[in-house]
Amino acid sequence: MHDGQPPRTAALPGGERPVWALIGPGIAALTGLYLLTMPLGPRAWGSLQMNLHLSGQTILLTVLVTYVVGAAVGGALGVGLGGRFLTTVGLTAIALLTAGVLLDALAPGVGLFGAGRVLSGLGAGGVAGATVVFARRAGRHRSAVVAVLAGLGVLSLILGPLVNEVLTTMLTWRMGYLVTVLPLGAALIAAAVSGFVLLLTRRPAPVPPSAPGAPHSPAGQRPWNAPPGA
């Protein structure tokens, strides 16, 4: 008999969170790190400057400063809200990141390109902050998860300029942004699916045990010795 036993769910004891819920936000966070350093290659930097008619100071402000400032704001929001609302924060941040990438890839001028960098920074910071908070709640797997994410993050920062230089040389500087649409789409789907699974399998709040010596009664029924009107 299994009467009184709580249903098995995906929620873990002690406030832990399942590692697989980090797949979508993790992919998006790594993509955001790639977008931070990818314009720094000399050929990509020069092509972007020439195509958008940017001066040396203007391109620094438009490409890097806007992204870093947006990421700082998004990161603060992600850390503050991501622990409780990973799915909501993750989906919103990935949507902002994707919108920013598309604006950058298709921007005809510096205005839309700068707006795209701001949106990308907000999304990247938000999903990175939420991912860090969530990873710290991975229970006994926390150390391994943090180490893997940190290693992949460093790799993304290093590969960003290299990959973008190849794409710029072979095609155009816009391809460095367009190639991120595929991983961001996969991240969006993974975050939505994991959030849906967590919602369906959320463990209900535990019912406090009855006082010692008190007879057990099913929910919604009065104990047999309850006084009238109780």
Side-chain angles (χ1 to χ4, degrees):
M1 300 290 293
H2 298 283
D3 293 342
Q5 296 293 327
R8 179 174 295 182
T9 70
L12 301 176
E16 297 180 19
R17 297 294 184 269
V19 176
W20 47 260
L22 281 171
I23 294 176
I27 294 174
L30 295 175
T31 305
L33 291 175
Y34 159 85
L35 287 167
L36 172 62
T37 59
M38 52 88 80
L40 298 181
R43 184 177 294 273
W45 188 270
S47 298
L48 181 62
Q49 183 176 9
M50 182 174 59
N51 189 259
L52 297 182
H53 308 289
L54 301 171
S55 65
Q57 293 180 344
T58 305
I59 189 173
L60 182 64
L61 175 65
T62 305
V63 175
L64 289 182
V65 176
T66 53
Y67 191 88
V68 172
V69 171
V73 175
L77 293 174
V79 170
L81 301 174
R84 296 188 60 187
F85 309 104
L86 176 69
T87 301
T88 302
V89 173
L91 290 176
T92 303
I94 295 171
L96 288 175
L97 188 50
T98 305
V101 163
L102 291 175
L103 274 179
D104 287 334
L106 305 175
V110 63
L112 285 179
F113 184 86
R117 289 299 281 179
V118 171
L119 288 179
S120 297
L122 282 171
V127 75
T131 300
V132 170
V133 172
F134 204 81
R136 294 179 61 186
R137 301 172 68 179
R140 63 183 182 273
H141 303 295
R142 180 176 60 185
S143 298
V145 170
V146 171
V148 170
L149 288 176
L152 292 176
V154 172
L155 185 63
S156 298
L157 291 172
I158 295 173
L159 290 179
L162 302 178
V163 172
N164 195 33
E165 283 290 281
V166 173
L167 293 173
T168 301
T169 302
M170 297 178 61
L171 299 168
T172 171
W173 63 267
R174 298 178 187 273
M175 282 303 302
Y177 296 90
L178 284 176
V179 294
T180 63
V181 173
L182 182 60
L184 288 176
L188 190 67
I189 294 173
V193 171
S194 62
F196 183 69
V197 172
L198 287 174
L199 180 64
L200 289 181
T201 57
R202 181 175 298 172
R203 185 186 297 275
V207 179
S210 302
H216 170 75
S217 62
Q221 298 184 13
R222 295 188 305 160
W224 63 272
N225 58 349

